[in-house]
Amino acid sequence: MGFTHYSGPASNFPGKNQWKSFEEIFNANKAAMAATGDTGEDIGRIWNAVNECAKIGVEERVIFAIIMQESTGNVGVQTTYNNDGHSTAGLMQCDGSPGFPGKHGLSQDQITSMVRAGTNHFKQNLKDQGNNDSAECIYKALREYNSGSVNPNDLSDGRGATASYVSDVANRLLGRTN
């Protein structure tokens, strides 16, 4: 199923009651992760890492949707650089994350370290946007995660970053794949 474009304020995006479960979203994306070169063990370790890092205070399906948006679950994803010139590495492509470019068959500790770095970063974004588990707070935090700032009247205002980022992650939360 293709992606639907959402824009405007958070109220224009799908409510949490429409999001699929973590298990449904994860299972829908297993083939995409395997296509990156991830081993079956890598994929299982991503599941474990997401469950472990959710204890930080970010729900599993949000962590995993960010992973799929940022790296397609590729544990060996290349390091990129943000507009400030800082490296953004790992499964969640965030500043300060360890990365293992070109490598697969990683240990649980290596995979969890990438997911922990991204989840901690996103948790700070949640705190900046009201620190609650509402769809509105999550969508605003996603905008901040991607661009560093938020126009609450238009979450597709990427301010130099990916304009469709929040919409794309919303589609992933609905169980859609690309």
Side-chain angles (χ1 to χ4, degrees):
M1 176 187 294
F3 279 18
T4 299
H5 180 71
Y6 302 99
S7 63
S11 59
N12 289 1
F13 288 72
K16 288 178 69 175
N17 63 326
Q18 297 174 59
W19 298 357
K20 299 293 186 194
S21 71
F22 171 48
E23 184 173 7
E24 289 171 303
I25 297 167
F26 190 87
N27 287 336
N29 285 281
K30 280 183 177 177
M33 290 186 284
T36 72
D38 284 357
T39 66
E41 290 81 12
D42 288 331
I43 293 168
R45 290 175 180 140
I46 291 170
W47 171 272
N48 295 339
V50 169
N51 280 301
E52 176 63 27
C53 293
K55 296 173 186 173
I56 293 168
V58 178
E59 63 176 282
E60 293 90 344
R61 54 193 177 171
V62 174
I63 297 168
F64 186 69
I66 295 170
I67 288 171
M68 291 308 296
Q69 183 63 29
E70 293 288 349
S71 67
T72 319
N74 179 356
V75 299
V77 66
Q78 296 300 309
T79 298
T80 59
Y81 295 87
N82 65 20
N83 292 337
D84 298 330
H86 293 113
S87 64
T88 58
L91 283 164
M92 297 175 76
Q93 293 287 283
C94 84
D95 194 7
S97 176
F100 305 91
K103 299 186 188 302
H104 291 90
L106 300 182
S107 72
Q108 184 66 64
D109 285 345
Q110 290 170 315
I111 291 173
T112 301
S113 70
M114 291 187 283
V115 177
R116 183 176 295 109
T119 303
N120 280 327
H121 188 91
F122 184 74
K123 179 62 176 176
Q124 184 57 55
N125 299 139
L126 276 175
K127 288 178 180 177
D128 292 346
Q129 301 305 320
N131 201 27
N132 66 59
D133 195 37
S134 70
E136 178 180 12
C137 183
I138 291 167
Y139 288 135
K140 288 178 181 178
L142 286 166
R143 177 75 279 156
E144 183 180 353
Y145 185 86
N146 176 250
S147 64
S149 62
V150 179
N151 172 353
N153 296 315
D154 185 7
L155 297 180
S156 293
D157 179 358
R159 300 182 177 185
T162 306
S164 64
Y165 187 84
V166 181
S167 179
D168 293 345
V169 175
N171 277 279
R172 294 181 185 288
L173 290 164
L174 295 171
R176 296 177 181 148
T177 59
N178 53 346

